[in-house]
Coordinates of all heavy atoms in Angstrom, one line a residue:
P1 N -68.7 78.5 -24.3 CA -67.8 79.6 -24.7 C -66.3 79.3 -24.7 O -65.6 79.6 -25.6 CB -68.1 80.8 -23.7 CG -69.5 80.5 -23.2 CD -69.7 79.0 -23.2
V2 N -65.9 78.5 -23.6 CA -64.5 78.2 -23.5 C -64.0 77.2 -24.6 O -62.9 77.3 -25.1 CB -64.2 77.6 -22.1 CG1 -64.7 76.3 -21.9 CG2 -62.7 77.6 -21.9
N3 N -64.9 76.3 -25.1 CA -64.6 75.5 -26.2 C -64.5 76.3 -27.5 O -63.6 76.1 -28.3 CB -65.7 74.4 -26.4 CG -65.5 73.3 -25.4 OD1 -65.4 73.5 -24.2 ND2 -65.5 72.0 -25.9
I4 N -65.4 77.3 -27.6 CA -65.4 78.1 -28.8 C -64.1 78.9 -28.9 O -63.4 79.0 -29.9 CB -66.6 79.1 -28.8 CG1 -67.9 78.3 -29.0 CG2 -66.4 80.2 -29.8 CD1 -69.2 79.1 -28.8
A5 N -63.7 79.5 -27.7 CA -62.4 80.2 -27.7 C -61.2 79.3 -28.0 O -60.3 79.7 -28.8 CB -62.2 80.8 -26.3
N6 N -61.2 78.1 -27.5 CA -60.1 77.2 -27.8 C -60.1 76.8 -29.3 O -59.0 76.8 -29.9 CB -60.3 75.9 -27.0 CG -59.5 75.9 -25.6 OD1 -58.4 75.7 -25.6 ND2 -60.3 76.2 -24.6
A7 N -61.2 76.5 -29.8 CA -61.3 76.1 -31.2 C -60.8 77.2 -32.2 O -60.0 77.0 -33.1 CB -62.7 75.7 -31.6
L8 N -61.2 78.5 -31.9 CA -60.8 79.6 -32.7 C -59.3 79.9 -32.5 O -58.6 80.3 -33.4 CB -61.7 80.8 -32.4 CG -63.1 80.7 -32.9 CD1 -63.9 82.0 -32.5 CD2 -63.2 80.5 -34.4
R9 N -58.8 79.7 -31.3 CA -57.4 79.9 -31.0 C -56.6 79.0 -31.9 O -55.6 79.4 -32.5 CB -57.1 79.7 -29.5 CG -55.6 79.8 -29.2 CD -55.3 79.5 -27.8 NE -55.6 78.1 -27.4 CZ -54.9 77.1 -27.8 NH1 -53.8 77.2 -28.4 NH2 -55.3 75.9 -27.4
I10 N -57.0 77.7 -32.0 CA -56.2 76.8 -32.8 C -56.3 77.1 -34.3 O -55.3 77.0 -35.0 CB -56.7 75.3 -32.5 CG1 -56.4 74.9 -31.1 CG2 -56.1 74.3 -33.5 CD1 -57.0 73.7 -30.6
C11 N -57.5 77.5 -34.7 CA -57.7 78.0 -36.1 C -56.7 79.1 -36.4 O -56.1 79.2 -37.4 CB -59.1 78.4 -36.4 SG -60.3 77.0 -36.5
A12 N -56.7 80.1 -35.5 CA -55.8 81.3 -35.7 C -54.3 80.8 -35.6 O -53.5 81.3 -36.5 CB -56.0 82.3 -34.6
R13 N -54.0 79.9 -34.8 CA -52.6 79.5 -34.6 C -52.0 78.9 -35.9 O -50.9 79.1 -36.3 CB -52.5 78.4 -33.5 CG -51.1 77.9 -33.2 CD -51.1 77.0 -32.0 NE -49.8 76.4 -31.7 CZ -48.8 77.0 -31.1 NH1 -49.0 78.3 -30.6 NH2 -47.7 76.4 -30.8
Y14 N -52.9 78.2 -36.7 CA -52.5 77.5 -37.9 C -53.0 78.3 -39.1 O -53.1 77.7 -40.2 CB -52.9 76.1 -37.9 CG -52.2 75.3 -36.9 CD1 -52.8 75.0 -35.6 CD2 -50.9 74.8 -37.1 CE1 -52.1 74.3 -34.6 CE2 -50.3 74.0 -36.1 CZ -50.8 73.8 -34.9 OH -50.2 73.1 -33.9
A15 N -53.4 79.5 -39.0 CA -53.9 80.4 -40.1 C -55.1 79.7 -40.8 O -55.2 79.7 -42.0 CB -52.8 80.7 -41.0
N16 N -55.9 79.0 -40.0 CA -57.1 78.3 -40.6 C -58.4 78.9 -40.2 O -59.4 78.2 -40.1 CB -57.0 76.8 -40.2 CG -56.0 76.0 -41.0 OD1 -55.7 76.4 -42.2 ND2 -55.5 75.0 -40.5
L17 N -58.5 80.2 -40.0 CA -59.7 80.8 -39.6 C -60.8 80.7 -40.6 O -62.0 80.8 -40.3 CB -59.5 82.3 -39.2 CG -58.8 82.5 -37.9 CD1 -58.4 84.0 -37.8 CD2 -59.7 82.2 -36.7
D18 N -60.4 80.4 -41.9 CA -61.5 80.2 -42.9 C -62.3 78.9 -42.6 O -63.4 78.8 -43.2 CB -60.9 80.2 -44.3 CG -59.7 79.2 -44.4 OD1 -59.3 78.6 -43.4 OD2 -59.3 78.9 -45.6
I19 N -61.8 78.0 -41.8 CA -62.6 76.8 -41.5 C -63.9 77.3 -40.8 O -65.0 76.9 -41.1 CB -61.8 75.9 -40.5 CG1 -60.7 75.2 -41.3 CG2 -62.8 74.8 -39.9 CD1 -59.8 74.4 -40.4
A20 N -63.7 78.2 -39.8 CA -64.8 78.7 -39.1 C -65.6 79.7 -39.9 O -66.9 79.6 -40.0 CB -64.3 79.4 -37.8
E21 N -65.0 80.6 -40.6 CA -65.7 81.7 -41.2 C -66.3 81.3 -42.6 O -67.5 81.5 -42.8 CB -64.7 82.9 -41.5 CG -65.4 84.2 -41.9 CD -64.5 85.4 -41.7 OE1 -63.2 85.2 -41.9 OE2 -65.0 86.5 -41.5
D22 N -65.5 80.7 -43.5 CA -66.0 80.4 -44.8 C -66.8 79.1 -44.9 O -67.7 79.0 -45.6 CB -64.8 80.4 -45.8 CG -64.1 81.7 -45.9 OD1 -64.7 82.7 -45.5 OD2 -62.9 81.7 -46.4
F23 N -66.3 78.1 -44.2 CA -66.9 76.8 -44.3 C -68.0 76.5 -43.3 O -68.9 75.7 -43.6 CB -65.8 75.7 -44.2 CG -64.6 76.0 -45.2 CD1 -63.3 75.8 -44.7 CD2 -64.8 76.4 -46.5 CE1 -62.3 76.1 -45.6 CE2 -63.8 76.7 -47.3 CZ -62.5 76.5 -46.8
Y24 N -67.9 77.1 -42.1 CA -69.0 76.9 -41.2 C -69.9 78.2 -41.0 O -70.8 78.2 -40.2 CB -68.5 76.5 -39.8 CG -68.1 75.0 -39.8 CD1 -66.9 74.5 -39.3 CD2 -69.1 74.0 -40.2 CE1 -66.6 73.1 -39.3 CE2 -68.8 72.7 -40.2 CZ -67.6 72.2 -39.8 OH -67.3 70.9 -39.7
G25 N -69.5 79.3 -41.7 CA -70.3 80.5 -41.6 C -70.3 81.2 -40.3 O -71.3 81.9 -39.9
I26 N -69.2 81.1 -39.5 CA -69.1 81.8 -38.2 C -68.7 83.2 -38.5 O -67.7 83.5 -39.2 CB -68.1 81.1 -37.3 CG1 -68.3 79.6 -37.2 CG2 -68.0 81.8 -36.0 CD1 -69.6 79.2 -36.5
N27 N -69.4 84.1 -37.9 CA -69.1 85.6 -38.1 C -67.9 86.0 -37.2 O -68.1 86.1 -36.0 CB -70.3 86.4 -37.8 CG -70.1 87.9 -38.0 OD1 -69.1 88.3 -38.6 ND2 -71.0 88.7 -37.5
L28 N -66.8 86.2 -37.8 CA -65.6 86.5 -37.0 C -65.3 88.0 -37.0 O -64.3 88.5 -36.4 CB -64.3 85.8 -37.6 CG -64.4 84.3 -37.5 CD1 -63.1 83.7 -38.0 CD2 -64.6 83.8 -36.0
L29 N -66.2 88.8 -37.6 CA -66.0 90.3 -37.7 C -66.0 90.9 -36.3 O -65.1 91.7 -36.0 CB -67.1 90.9 -38.5 CG -67.0 92.4 -38.8 CD1 -65.6 92.7 -39.5 CD2 -68.1 92.9 -39.6
P30 N -66.9 90.5 -35.4 CA -66.8 91.1 -34.0 C -65.4 90.8 -33.3 O -64.9 91.7 -32.7 CB -67.9 90.4 -33.3 CG -68.9 90.0 -34.3 CD -68.0 89.6 -35.5
L31 N -64.9 89.6 -33.5 CA -63.6 89.3 -32.9 C -62.5 90.1 -33.6 O -61.6 90.7 -32.9 CB -63.3 87.8 -33.1 CG -61.9 87.4 -32.6 CD1 -61.7 87.7 -31.1 CD2 -61.7 85.9 -32.9
A32 N -62.5 90.2 -34.9 CA -61.5 91.0 -35.6 C -61.5 92.5 -35.3 O -60.5 93.1 -35.0 CB -61.7 90.8 -37.2
T33 N -62.7 93.0 -35.2 CA -62.9 94.4 -34.9 C -62.3 94.7 -33.5 O -61.6 95.7 -33.2 CB -64.3 94.9 -35.0 OG1 -64.8 94.6 -36.3 CG2 -64.5 96.3 -34.7
F34 N -62.7 93.8 -32.5 CA -62.3 94.0 -31.1 C -60.7 93.8 -31.1 O -60.1 94.6 -30.4 CB -62.9 92.9 -30.3 CG -62.3 92.7 -28.9 CD1 -62.5 93.7 -27.9 CD2 -61.4 91.6 -28.7 CE1 -61.8 93.5 -26.7 CE2 -60.8 91.5 -27.4 CZ -61.0 92.4 -26.4
A35 N -60.2 92.8 -31.7 CA -58.7 92.6 -31.7 C -57.9 93.8 -32.2 O -56.9 94.2 -31.7 CB -58.4 91.3 -32.5
M36 N -58.4 94.4 -33.3 CA -57.7 95.5 -33.9 C -57.7 96.7 -33.0 O -56.8 97.5 -33.0 CB -58.3 95.9 -35.3 CG -58.0 94.9 -36.4 SD -58.5 95.5 -38.0 CE -60.2 95.3 -37.9
E37 N -58.8 96.9 -32.3 CA -58.9 98.0 -31.3 C -58.1 97.8 -30.1 O -57.4 98.6 -29.6 CB -60.4 98.2 -31.0 CG -60.7 99.3 -30.0 CD -60.2 100.7 -30.5 OE1 -60.2 100.9 -31.7 OE2 -59.8 101.5 -29.6
A38 N -58.3 96.6 -29.5 CA -57.6 96.3 -28.2 C -56.1 96.1 -28.3 O -55.4 96.5 -27.4 CB -58.2 95.0 -27.6
Y39 N -55.7 95.6 -29.5 CA -54.2 95.3 -29.6 C -53.6 96.1 -30.8 O -52.7 95.6 -31.5 CB -54.0 93.8 -29.8 CG -54.5 93.0 -28.6 CD1 -55.8 92.5 -28.6 CD2 -53.7 92.8 -27.5 CE1 -56.3 91.8 -27.5 CE2 -54.2 92.1 -26.4 CZ -55.4 91.6 -26.4 OH -55.9 90.9 -25.3
K40 N -54.2 97.3 -31.1 CA -53.8 98.0 -32.3 C -52.3 98.3 -32.3 O -51.7 98.3 -33.4 CB -54.6 99.3 -32.4 CG -54.6 100.2 -31.3 CD -55.5 101.4 -31.4 CE -55.6 102.2 -30.2 NZ -56.6 103.3 -30.3
D41 N -51.7 98.6 -31.2 CA -50.3 99.0 -31.2 C -49.4 97.8 -30.7 O -48.2 98.0 -30.5 CB -50.0 100.2 -30.2 CG -50.8 101.4 -30.7 OD1 -50.9 101.6 -31.9 OD2 -51.4 102.1 -29.8
D42 N -50.0 96.6 -30.6 CA -49.3 95.4 -30.2 C -48.9 94.6 -31.4 O -49.8 94.1 -32.1 CB -50.2 94.7 -29.2 CG -49.5 93.5 -28.5 OD1 -48.4 93.1 -29.0 OD2 -50.0 93.0 -27.5
P43 N -47.6 94.3 -31.6 CA -47.3 93.4 -32.7 C -47.7 92.0 -32.5 O -47.7 91.2 -33.5 CB -45.7 93.5 -32.8 CG -45.3 93.9 -31.4 CD -46.4 94.8 -30.9
C44 N -48.0 91.6 -31.3 CA -48.5 90.2 -31.0 C -47.5 89.2 -31.6 O -48.0 88.2 -32.2 CB -49.9 90.0 -31.5 SG -51.1 91.2 -30.8
K45 N -46.2 89.4 -31.4 CA -45.2 88.6 -32.0 C -45.3 87.1 -31.6 O -45.2 86.3 -32.5 CB -43.8 89.1 -31.5 CG -42.6 88.4 -32.1 CD -41.3 88.9 -31.5 CE -40.2 88.0 -31.9 NZ -38.9 88.4 -31.3

């Protein structure tokens, strides 16, 4: 799990989440749904 989190963090940092989602078929919907709910009022600057 900790490697998965690191890998996705780097993908997000460089706006490359499509590597995981489109090219490797990783379902990122659970993460996106959770993030929008948990940080909905946070600009995450």
Side-chain angles (χ1 to χ4, degrees):
V2 69
N3 282 51
I4 290 171
N6 268 279
L8 290 179
R9 176 185 61 79
I10 294 169
C11 285
R13 183 175 177 80
Y14 293 95
N16 280 335
L17 285 168
D18 52 352
I19 291 171
E21 191 165 31
D22 297 342
F23 309 135
Y24 281 131
I26 306 298
N27 182 11
L28 296 182
L29 184 60
L31 175 61
T33 305
F34 166 75
M36 285 190 291
E37 177 62 31
Y39 299 95
K40 57 186 173 184
D41 299 321
D42 187 341
C44 301
K45 181 183 172 186

